[in-house]
Amino acid sequence: MKIKSARVVVTCPGRNFVTLKIETDTGLTGLGDATLNGRELAVASYLSDHVIPALIGRDAQAIEDIWQYLYRGAYWRRGPVTMTAIAAVDVALWDLKAKQAGLPLYQILGGACRTGVMVYGHANGANIAETIEEARRYQAMGYKAIRLQSGVPGLASTYGVSTDKLFYEPASAILPVENLWSTVKYLPTVPRLFEAAREALGWDVHLLHDVHHRLTPIEAGRLGKELEPYRPFWLEDPTPAENQASFRLIRQHTTTPLAVGEVFNSIWDAKQLIEEQLIDYIRATVVHAGGVTHLRRIATLADLYGVRTGCHGATDLSPVSMGAALHFDLSTPNFGIQEYMRHTAETDAVFPHAYRFEAGDLHPGDAPGHGVSIDEDLAAKFPYRPASLPVNRLEDGSMWNW
Ligand code: KDG
Ligand code: MG
């Protein structure tokens, strides 16, 4: 089965998605997601200008060799653009391999190790009461795990709180919107939110929170400690993870489980965090961390140290990534949880898929491959619209992490 052609499809059914479609001489096609929020065209160009010409004529079955060719063969290794492009090729090739075998991808990856993939949804509101009300909606939908994000008194906006509720999309204007951040205002709200949530929702539901990189290590240690009485499932991205050793400080102060890695693109970003058991969940994804091939390597390393997976699954990861992630989750022994932010009806129409939600779990379905396709005629009706993620400034005007 040789690669005959490949092309990049950019579409914006409500938000931008970049998809790689590989066609083979057998007539089978494979799909990979190449979406990097706010940097979509950089990956599209990397694929069209540098990767696709090198794929034509190659054996589509040689997934590992093609991965090594694209990784080792790029002198300028790693980075989100390169690794997202590699991921798109890798996922498309796994899709092809499974389709050729006539099997759902999870069977090719070793078979199911569980009956379903536990997911968490996003409850958010302008204040604590509204967030709790939203969380009740998620409980009623059958979710076993819910992320809680609430507005912060005195801040006009904060990460994770949207007016659209189910469909949070932070990328908006052509140039980044500037938000204001205050750690002093934020810090007391999260323990209050969790206290109110436990009172209202009980203890039979997992509760999560995303700090979105906004604290210093010692502030993160303090927040983790204050949340301990409410037994959070995890505290996500408490501080930026460029300095992996800084997580030692957080660990010294709290037993609240830590989840890190949605912005990671390689095993090297997570090596120390995993080997020193500084985190509990690794959030790297199929799309930004080099595809199924590389994510399996990260998960295998994590398994040695008791770290479980908790893949990123925001709406800027297309249904193609969600489909591939679910096959990975179902077949990975140290799977922990999968993020699931629902896509809009428009997006679901462009990407028909076999996965389904049932009683708090997602199931990838049994269609051959990863089970997600693209309606290219419909995709063409939604042309690319430039959009950027926001930036943050502190109240004194200095730049901060968004
Ligand atoms: O594009 C950025 C989003 O993917 C990110 O802000 C979402 O932090 C996020 C999450 O946990 O889903
Ligand atoms: Mg996050």
Side-chain angles (χ1 to χ4, degrees):
M1 184 167 63
K2 295 229 180 302
I3 298 175
K4 196 175 80 182
S5 65
R7 64 177 180 281
V8 176
V9 180
V10 182
T11 179
C12 186
R15 68 156 345 281
N16 292 313
F17 294 109
V18 180
T19 308
L20 176 71
K21 186 165 194 175
I22 295 183
E23 288 169 339
T24 63
D25 57 1
T26 63
L28 283 180
T29 60
L31 279 192
D33 179 21
T35 309
L36 184 61
N37 203 0
R39 296 290 183 271
E40 292 87 358
L41 298 186
V43 186
S45 151
Y46 192 99
L47 281 167
S48 301
D49 297 334
H50 306 289
V51 173
I52 290 175
L55 291 178
I56 309 304
R58 283 180 194 276
D59 174 7
Q61 297 277 24
I63 297 179
E64 185 65 43
D65 184 64
I66 290 177
W67 196 94
Q68 297 292 335
Y69 179 88
L70 295 175
Y71 181 83
R72 289 179 197 271
Y75 184 69
W76 312 108
R77 282 183 195 180
R78 300 165 56 191
V81 173
T82 299
M83 296 305 281
T84 301
I86 293 178
V89 175
D90 187 76
V91 168
L93 294 180
W94 279 106
D95 189 28
L96 276 165
K97 193 181 273 293
K99 279 176 177 161
Q100 199 187 35
L103 292 170
L105 177 55
Y106 71 83
Q107 293 292 11
I108 302 280
L109 298 177
C113 330
R114 54 187 52 78
T115 52
V117 171
M118 180 171 73
V119 296
Y120 69 90
H122 289 199
N124 65 87
N127 51 46
I128 292 177
E130 206 180 296
T131 306
I132 306 280
E133 208 180 298
E134 274 298 295
R136 286 192 199 279
R137 267 181 70 196
Y138 277 88
Q139 256 187 329
M141 285 190 270
Y143 281 82
K144 296 178 268 191
I146 305 169
R147 192 184 85 164
L148 303 173
Q149 307 291 139
S150 159
V152 175
L155 287 183
S157 66
T158 186
Y159 166 73
V161 178
S162 77
T163 42
D164 267 351
K165 302 288 185 243
L166 279 177
F167 313 113
Y168 179 62
E169 175 45 61
S172 53
I174 297 181
L175 285 178
V177 167
E178 300 213 353
N179 292 342
L180 273 193
W181 177 251
S182 162
T183 297
V184 170
K185 288 177 179 151
Y186 162 80
L187 267 183
T189 64
V190 192
R192 278 186 212 134
L193 170 64
F194 271 70
E195 186 185 9
R198 280 298 177 211
E199 214 166 282
L201 310 171
W203 295 84
D204 208 17
V205 56
H206 296 303
L207 300 178
L208 300 78
H209 180 71
D210 189 352
V211 179
H212 220 261
H213 322 272
R214 290 166 188 212
L215 300 178
T216 64
I218 198 68
E219 289 164 349
R222 193 177 124 202
L223 178 59
K225 201 176 189 167
E226 287 176 4
L227 289 178
E228 280 170 25
Y230 314 110
R231 276 196 272 125
F233 184 89
W234 80 30
L235 188 63
E236 179 186 335
D237 286 333
T239 195
E242 283 106 325
N243 178 7
Q244 298 181 42
S246 69
F247 278 74
R248 287 187 195 135
L249 185 64
I250 308 177
R251 277 296 215 214
Q252 280 164 17
H253 292 282
T254 182
T255 55
T256 288
L258 302 174
V260 175
E262 68 183 36
V263 299
F264 289 175
N265 50 74
S266 103
I267 197 165
W268 302 101
D269 296 326
K271 183 172 178 289
Q272 187 179 6
L273 287 172
I274 292 172
E275 286 177 347
E276 290 190 30
Q277 297 178 301
L278 300 177
I279 56 171
D280 302 279
Y281 295 91
I282 177 72
R283 288 197 25 84
T285 60
V286 280
V287 58
H288 300 134
V292 172
T293 298
H294 196 58
L295 195 60
R296 286 180 99 192
R297 236 164 243 142
I298 296 175
T300 303
L301 176 70
D303 198 18
L304 298 181
Y305 296 94
V307 175
R308 304 183 83 82
T309 65
C311 292
H312 188 201
T315 31
D316 48 289
L317 282 65
S318 92
V320 175
S321 276
M322 182 53 74
L326 294 174
H327 290 270
F328 167 83
D329 295 336
L330 200 68
S331 58
T332 294
N334 54 322
F335 162 79
I337 198 166
Q338 169 69 51
E339 182 179 15
Y340 176 42
M341 242 166 134
R342 286 165 190 258
H343 288 109
T344 59
E346 266 174 339
T347 297
D348 283 339
V350 170
F351 297 98
H353 51 75
Y355 60 80
R356 65 181 200 285
F357 177 84
E358 207 179 291
D361 289 347
L362 275 172
H363 300 267
D366 279 314
H370 54 48
V372 187
S373 56
I374 186 167
D375 179 337
E376 288 191 68
D377 293 335
L378 190 56
K381 295 192 174 131
F382 300 108
Y384 169 75
R385 284 202 314 253
S388 298
L389 287 169
V391 297
N392 254 342
R393 286 188 190 277
L394 299 180
E395 289 173 303
D396 70 357
S398 53
M399 285 295 294
W400 194 241
N401 317 308
W402 179 74

Short mmCIF file of all heavy atoms in Angstrom, two decimals, residues 147-170:
data_model
loop_
_atom_site.label_atom_id
_atom_site.label_comp_id
_atom_site.label_asym_id
_atom_site.label_seq_id
_atom_site.Cartn_x
_atom_site.Cartn_y
_atom_site.Cartn_z
N ARG A 147 -15.06 19.24 35.44
CA ARG A 147 -14.10 20.30 35.73
C ARG A 147 -14.87 21.55 36.13
O ARG A 147 -15.86 21.89 35.48
CB ARG A 147 -13.26 20.57 34.47
CG ARG A 147 -12.05 21.43 34.74
CD ARG A 147 -11.30 21.75 33.45
NE ARG A 147 -11.88 22.91 32.78
CZ ARG A 147 -11.26 23.59 31.81
NH1 ARG A 147 -10.07 23.21 31.37
NH2 ARG A 147 -11.84 24.63 31.25
N LEU A 148 -14.41 22.22 37.17
CA LEU A 148 -15.10 23.42 37.67
C LEU A 148 -14.24 24.64 37.43
O LEU A 148 -13.10 24.70 37.89
CB LEU A 148 -15.35 23.29 39.18
CG LEU A 148 -16.15 22.08 39.66
CD1 LEU A 148 -16.15 22.04 41.19
CD2 LEU A 148 -17.58 22.13 39.15
N GLN A 149 -14.79 25.63 36.71
CA GLN A 149 -14.10 26.92 36.51
C GLN A 149 -15.12 28.02 36.77
O GLN A 149 -16.20 28.01 36.17
CB GLN A 149 -13.58 27.06 35.07
CG GLN A 149 -12.70 25.94 34.56
CD GLN A 149 -11.33 25.80 35.18
OE1 GLN A 149 -10.87 24.69 35.44
NE2 GLN A 149 -10.65 26.92 35.41
N SER A 150 -14.76 28.94 37.65
CA SER A 150 -15.71 30.01 37.97
C SER A 150 -15.09 31.38 37.74
O SER A 150 -13.87 31.53 37.83
CB SER A 150 -16.11 29.85 39.45
OG SER A 150 -16.61 31.04 39.95
N GLY A 151 -15.93 32.37 37.45
CA GLY A 151 -15.46 33.74 37.35
C GLY A 151 -14.85 34.18 38.67
O GLY A 151 -15.17 33.62 39.73
N VAL A 152 -13.96 35.15 38.61
CA VAL A 152 -13.25 35.62 39.81
C VAL A 152 -13.74 37.03 40.13
O VAL A 152 -13.66 37.91 39.26
CB VAL A 152 -11.73 35.62 39.56
CG1 VAL A 152 -10.98 36.23 40.73
CG2 VAL A 152 -11.23 34.22 39.24
N PRO A 153 -14.28 37.28 41.35
CA PRO A 153 -14.73 38.64 41.67
C PRO A 153 -13.61 39.66 41.45
O PRO A 153 -12.49 39.44 41.89
CB PRO A 153 -15.10 38.54 43.16
CG PRO A 153 -15.35 37.08 43.41
CD PRO A 153 -14.47 36.33 42.45
N GLY A 154 -13.94 40.72 40.72
CA GLY A 154 -12.96 41.77 40.47
C GLY A 154 -12.18 41.59 39.19
O GLY A 154 -11.42 42.46 38.79
N LEU A 155 -12.33 40.44 38.50
CA LEU A 155 -11.67 40.23 37.19
C LEU A 155 -12.75 40.14 36.10
O LEU A 155 -13.71 39.38 36.25
CB LEU A 155 -10.84 38.95 37.19
CG LEU A 155 -9.53 38.93 37.97
CD1 LEU A 155 -8.81 37.61 37.81
CD2 LEU A 155 -8.62 40.09 37.54
N ALA A 156 -12.54 40.87 35.02
CA ALA A 156 -13.55 40.90 33.96
C ALA A 156 -13.66 39.55 33.26
O ALA A 156 -14.72 39.18 32.74
CB ALA A 156 -13.20 41.99 32.96
N SER A 157 -12.56 38.81 33.20
CA SER A 157 -12.60 37.50 32.53
C SER A 157 -11.55 36.61 33.16
O SER A 157 -10.62 37.09 33.81
CB SER A 157 -12.30 37.66 31.04
OG SER A 157 -10.97 38.09 30.89
N THR A 158 -11.72 35.32 32.98
CA THR A 158 -10.68 34.39 33.42
C THR A 158 -10.73 33.16 32.52
O THR A 158 -11.69 32.96 31.78
CB THR A 158 -10.86 33.98 34.90
OG1 THR A 158 -9.73 33.20 35.29
CG2 THR A 158 -12.12 33.17 35.14
N TYR A 159 -9.70 32.33 32.59
CA TYR A 159 -9.67 31.15 31.74
C TYR A 159 -10.84 30.21 32.06
O TYR A 159 -11.17 29.99 33.22
CB TYR A 159 -8.35 30.38 31.92
CG TYR A 159 -8.49 29.01 31.30
CD1 TYR A 159 -8.49 28.87 29.92
CD2 TYR A 159 -8.75 27.90 32.09
CE1 TYR A 159 -8.74 27.65 29.35
CE2 TYR A 159 -8.99 26.67 31.53
CZ TYR A 159 -8.98 26.55 30.14
OH TYR A 159 -9.25 25.36 29.58
N GLY A 160 -11.44 29.66 31.03
CA GLY A 160 -12.39 28.56 31.21
C GLY A 160 -13.83 28.96 31.44
O GLY A 160 -14.68 28.10 31.57
N VAL A 161 -14.11 30.26 31.49
CA VAL A 161 -15.49 30.69 31.72
C VAL A 161 -16.02 31.31 30.43
O VAL A 161 -15.44 32.25 29.90
CB VAL A 161 -15.56 31.72 32.87
CG1 VAL A 161 -17.00 32.20 33.06
CG2 VAL A 161 -15.02 31.09 34.15
N SER A 162 -17.11 30.75 29.92
CA SER A 162 -17.61 31.22 28.63
C SER A 162 -19.10 31.49 28.71
O SER A 162 -19.78 30.99 29.61
CB SER A 162 -17.37 30.15 27.56
OG SER A 162 -18.32 29.13 27.70
N THR A 163 -19.60 32.25 27.75
CA THR A 163 -21.05 32.48 27.73
C THR A 163 -21.74 31.31 27.04
O THR A 163 -22.88 31.00 27.29
CB THR A 163 -21.37 33.79 26.98
OG1 THR A 163 -20.53 33.84 25.83
CG2 THR A 163 -21.12 34.99 27.85
N ASP A 164 -20.98 30.61 26.18
CA ASP A 164 -21.55 29.50 25.41
C ASP A 164 -21.67 28.20 26.20
O ASP A 164 -22.22 27.23 25.71
CB ASP A 164 -20.67 29.21 24.18
CG ASP A 164 -21.15 29.96 22.98
OD1 ASP A 164 -22.24 30.54 23.08
OD2 ASP A 164 -20.44 29.96 21.96
N LYS A 165 -21.07 28.18 27.39
CA LYS A 165 -21.09 27.01 28.27
C LYS A 165 -20.50 25.75 27.63
O LYS A 165 -19.31 25.52 27.73
CB LYS A 165 -22.50 26.72 28.81
CG LYS A 165 -23.10 27.88 29.57
CD LYS A 165 -22.40 28.06 30.91
CE LYS A 165 -23.04 29.14 31.74
NZ LYS A 165 -22.20 30.27 32.04
N LEU A 166 -21.30 24.98 26.90
CA LEU A 166 -20.81 23.70 26.37
C LEU A 166 -19.66 23.86 25.39
O LEU A 166 -18.84 22.96 25.23
CB LEU A 166 -21.94 22.94 25.67
CG LEU A 166 -22.93 22.16 26.54
CD1 LEU A 166 -24.01 21.54 25.67
CD2 LEU A 166 -22.24 21.07 27.36
N PHE A 167 -19.58 24.99 24.70
CA PHE A 167 -18.63 25.11 23.59
C PHE A 167 -17.62 26.23 23.79
O PHE A 167 -17.58 27.21 23.06
CB PHE A 167 -19.38 25.35 22.26
CG PHE A 167 -20.53 24.42 22.06
CD1 PHE A 167 -21.83 24.88 22.07
CD2 PHE A 167 -20.31 23.07 21.90
CE1 PHE A 167 -22.89 24.02 21.90
CE2 PHE A 167 -21.36 22.18 21.73
CZ PHE A 167 -22.66 22.66 21.74
N TYR A 168 -16.78 26.11 24.79
CA TYR A 168 -15.80 27.15 25.11
C TYR A 168 -14.73 27.28 24.02
O TYR A 168 -14.09 26.30 23.67
CB TYR A 168 -15.13 26.80 26.44
CG TYR A 168 -14.08 27.78 26.87
CD1 TYR A 168 -14.40 29.11 27.12
CD2 TYR A 168 -12.76 27.38 27.05
CE1 TYR A 168 -13.44 30.01 27.53
CE2 TYR A 168 -11.79 28.28 27.47
CZ TYR A 168 -12.14 29.59 27.70
OH TYR A 168 -11.18 30.47 28.11
N GLU A 169 -14.57 28.47 23.49
CA GLU A 169 -13.51 28.69 22.49
C GLU A 169 -12.79 30.00 22.79
O GLU A 169 -13.33 31.08 22.54
CB GLU A 169 -14.11 28.73 21.08
CG GLU A 169 -13.11 29.08 20.01
CD GLU A 169 -11.80 28.32 20.17
OE1 GLU A 169 -11.83 27.09 20.11
OE2 GLU A 169 -10.74 28.95 20.38
N PRO A 170 -11.58 29.93 23.33
CA PRO A 170 -10.89 31.16 23.72
C PRO A 170 -10.28 31.95 22.57
O PRO A 170 -10.02 33.14 22.72
CB PRO A 170 -9.81 30.67 24.69
CG PRO A 170 -9.59 29.23 24.35
CD PRO A 170 -10.87 28.72 23.77
#
